[in-house]
DNA sequence: TTTT
DNA sequence: TTTT
């Protein structure tokens, strides 16, 4: 029976998306997303906690991310968790957990309006896709 | 502004929860959860893909997890992502991403009914909590 | 800017799905879903509260619902809210809120195993779709 | 077994929240929220669809809604579905489906920054609560 | 390491 | 009208 693996985030990009064009015409965008949380510790002091997430967007969604998202942009992201292993420079097995984006919505009234250099999506373009990444083509 | 950091999973436990009792009376349970996904590859062959998640449940939710969950149990989990760093045995900095559970619901008609040895929750007990982990008391 | 309109439910069907075949080859399934909640009132008495939801599933998802879901089946449903207006028998305008399903996952170990008469999905069939209903073809 | 009844919305308020103070010191805020969706119809024409949701926020969350939200404010809302029945002016039984908010997050860089007259939340105040409405005190 |  |  199929399970459920769903992530929902609202936060701000830590850097501009990096896009790689893969053999076969596919592309993938990577960026980090910060989600902030505020709570009071035992002494009643207000504490801010920032969690950083690794986001991957594939194919059409990668192109849209490259076009409309920039460092600082506030977005809603829906996706799924994926943990990959890779060999580090010392040939040690390491693990990294990413969110593979299925949907991205720009938040705030007017993206690019505050002079952040990002394009504004025409309302004809939907910033939303749902597709399987091709794992054998992962760029790293 | 507070962001959103939410994870929703439906899957099966890979092992019995391990519970640790911390100084100060707190407790934390750890277990892994498998979420299964099915799709067809380019050749049209059906492929099963299993993603493994590290789950942490704190305090009252840890006690409930220890009491009612076992290897194989199907659960709905809602929580948030947290990536921690730690030093491995070679004093290298490593990262691990976990889901801190806020809510756990047992699925399927009759938990423990298949002779899996887990207790069945009395309907007076709510298998749901929402609380902040105390990070300075992390067991590892 | 596109918004977000998402519903996530885990509950049991109150009746077998009713499927209608529309002109043009489309089909739609309707059923109700009960979600149960337990809490203690001010007197400390345990109270059960059942919320009933109207679910609609379209096209391929309608066929799958008809095939695999029955009264009593426990399911995970993801979808979106839609409120429609219609004229009642006295020509009064009435409103009904439904969840248009995007994804349905059967829960519990063995659907149909308890002799409920529903078919068991072959693992080749995915009980998951994501598509736009055609509003001009609504059956009522 | 407890079910799941969860709604996640990102949209804009259609009007200022209306707050009622109930006997016993409780309060409740009501407002409508629009979620926009864009898609192409069969002719390839771009179509915008707006869905309107009835939101209720209770107690502390009602006060925060009254203080920080205004017509047009973009928010993230998490809550649950509740359908109530009431008697209309002709003593007919009617149904209304609402989302009872558990969490509300203001979106966009600077709430109130565009001169909309709403206060800006001090970072010491958390715009998030999770509590049961007292149904016997519903204001209508 | 789960489940079907 | 479901389920426990």
């Amino acid at each position: 029976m199929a399970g459920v693996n769903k992530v929902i985030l609202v936060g701000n990009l830590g850097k501009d998306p990096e896009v790689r064009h893969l053999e076969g015409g596919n592309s993938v965008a990577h960026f980090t997303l910060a989600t902030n949380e505020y709570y009071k510790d035992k002494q009643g002091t207000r504490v801010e906690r920032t969690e950083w997430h690794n986001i991957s967007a594939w194919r059409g969604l990668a192109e849209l991310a490259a076009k409309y998202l920039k460092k600082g942009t506030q977005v809603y992201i829906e996706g799924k968790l994926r943990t990959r292993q890779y060999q580090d420079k010392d040939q040690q097995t390491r693990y990294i957990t990413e969110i593979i984006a299925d949907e991205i919505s720009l938040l705030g009234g007017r993206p690019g309006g505050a002079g952040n250099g990002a394009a504004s999506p025409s309302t004809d373009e939907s910033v939303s896709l749902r597709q399987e990444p091709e794992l054998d083509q992962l760029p790293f």
Side-chain angles (χ1 to χ4, degrees), chain A:
Chain A
M1 203 72 6
V4 175
N5 174 359
K6 181 163 288 288
V7 178
I8 288 170
L9 304 172
V10 173
N12 301 277
L13 273 78
K15 56 175 187 175
D16 292 354
E18 287 172 21
V19 186
R20 301 187 197 209
H21 297 279
L22 310 179
E23 307 147 44
N26 279 335
S27 50
V28 59
H30 288 278
F31 57 90
T32 54
L33 190 82
T35 57
N36 297 118
E37 175 181 22
Y38 304 89
Y39 63 95
K40 295 195 179 171
D41 63 18
K42 287 172 176 174
Q43 286 74 41
T45 315
R46 178 189 155 268
V47 183
E48 174 176 355
R49 215 186 160 287
T50 300
E51 187 70 35
W52 286 98
H53 310 272
N54 299 302
I55 313 291
S56 293
W58 287 76
R59 285 183 269 264
L61 202 46
E63 306 302 335
L64 291 167
K67 207 162 161 188
Y68 300 125
L69 308 187
K70 274 193 67 91
K71 179 177 176 173
T73 307
Q74 190 187 33
V75 290
Y76 168 94
I77 292 183
E78 201 179 310
K80 63 180 149 194
L81 288 167
R82 184 151 296 177
T83 298
R84 294 186 290 114
Q85 48 172 272
Y86 64 97
Q87 307 301 119
D88 70 8
K89 57 184 188 310
D90 302 324
Q91 294 309 106
Q92 299 272 13
T93 299
R94 300 269 190 159
Y95 296 86
I96 183 173
T97 299
E98 299 172 299
I99 290 100
I100 311 292
D102 287 322
E103 294 209 39
I104 301 179
S105 281
L106 281 79
L107 303 176
R110 41 195 68 217
N116 70 357
S120 188
S122 123
T123 43
D124 277 327
E125 286 183 281
S126 171
V127 189
S128 171
L129 277 181
R130 177 168 286 262
Q131 50 201 177
E132 254 330 284
E134 288 159 61
L135 291 171
D136 53 343
Q137 288 195 68
L138 273 168
F140 57 91

